[in-house]
Amino acid sequence: MSDAVPAAPSAPSAPSAWNLANALTVLRIAMVPFFAWALLADGGHSTTGRLVATGLFVLAAATDRLDGWLARRSGQVTDLGKLLDPIADKVLIGTALVLLSWLGDLSWWITVVILVRELGITAMRFFLLRYVVLPASRGGKLKTVLQSVAIGLYLLPLDQLPTFVSVVAAIVMAAAVVVTVVTGLDYARTGLRISRTASRPPASGL
């Protein structure tokens, strides 16, 4: 009988941050300048430019669903991906909101409310990195979908489309603002709880 001790099974290695899902997230960020250029063509009044900008925005937004699906399917969910994915969304959506307001197509108060929420939650995520990587919640994902649909509608040349399209765009944007505020408060409550729990000194044993 052999006296050899069987080797302990090795711990599974963490997935590499260099994967297709994260590459798509980076691509989403890289598309933002091209989207902005198309939207601002001819002072934002070019029908072709608006349609190209809409197409780029929809394509970039679609990668948000694709990169998450790929990461889960291939077992390549990484902390880098969890951090970059919401940042990429905020860069894309924030740029679209600011430019739409600058062009006079969207009220500035809507842009300010959404950006204050997004920047505040992003800052909180960075603060919580010392304790945990805070992924997007289901409510946060719904918020992103509503914002993306609303912005996609506002990017269209609405003055050349039936009035009901503008009405639908306004309704979806209103829903996006409500969900944005509600989920922002929920994230803030979660972040505060994590911070308090992590900073609480451990109970001493008897």
Side-chain angles (χ1 to χ4, degrees):
M1 175 182 272
S2 172
D3 294 330
V5 178
S10 57
S13 58
S16 171
W18 301 100
N19 56 60
L20 179 58
N22 288 349
L24 286 173
T25 303
V26 173
L27 176 63
R28 185 154 75 252
I29 298 175
M31 291 175 67
V32 171
F34 299 98
F35 156 75
W37 171 80
L39 179 58
L40 295 176
D42 193 23
H45 302 297
S46 168
T47 300
T48 300
R50 298 290 292 233
L51 292 176
V52 170
T54 303
L56 289 174
F57 181 85
V58 170
L59 180 60
T63 65
D64 179 39
R65 306 291 296 177
L66 181 59
D67 60 13
W69 179 81
L70 284 174
R72 291 187 296 272
R73 180 180 175 84
S74 59
Q76 294 181 326
V77 177
T78 64
D79 285 347
L80 178 63
K82 292 178 183 178
L83 185 63
L84 279 182
D85 186 64
I87 290 176
D89 294 335
K90 289 169 177 56
V91 171
L92 176 64
I93 288 176
T95 299
L97 289 171
V98 169
L99 293 182
L100 284 171
S101 293
W102 185 71
L103 291 171
D105 297 330
L106 186 67
S107 297
W108 273 108
W109 74 264
I110 294 177
T111 294
V112 170
V113 167
I114 293 178
L115 290 186
V116 167
R117 183 272 194 199
E118 301 294 3
L119 294 176
I121 297 304
T122 299
M124 185 191 73
R125 286 177 186 274
F126 278 108
F127 174 78
L128 292 177
L129 278 178
R130 68 183 74 180
Y131 309 125
V132 65
V133 174
L134 189 64
S137 66
R138 290 185 178 180
K141 292 177 180 178
L142 173 62
K143 176 266 305 178
T144 300
V145 171
L146 287 173
Q147 288 179 356
S148 298
V149 172
I151 291 172
L153 291 171
Y154 271 94
L155 289 172
L156 293 169
L158 293 177
D159 57 341
Q160 301 181 32
L161 296 175
T163 305
F164 81 88
V165 179
S166 298
V167 174
V168 171
I171 293 174
V172 178
M173 182 60 78
V177 171
V178 171
V179 175
T180 295
V181 173
V182 171
T183 56
L185 294 174
D186 184 61
Y187 273 124
R189 183 171 60 251
T190 300
L192 184 61
R193 184 179 69 248
I194 293 173
S195 179
R196 285 178 174 176
T197 302
S199 60
R200 186 180 303 156
S204 58
L206 296 178

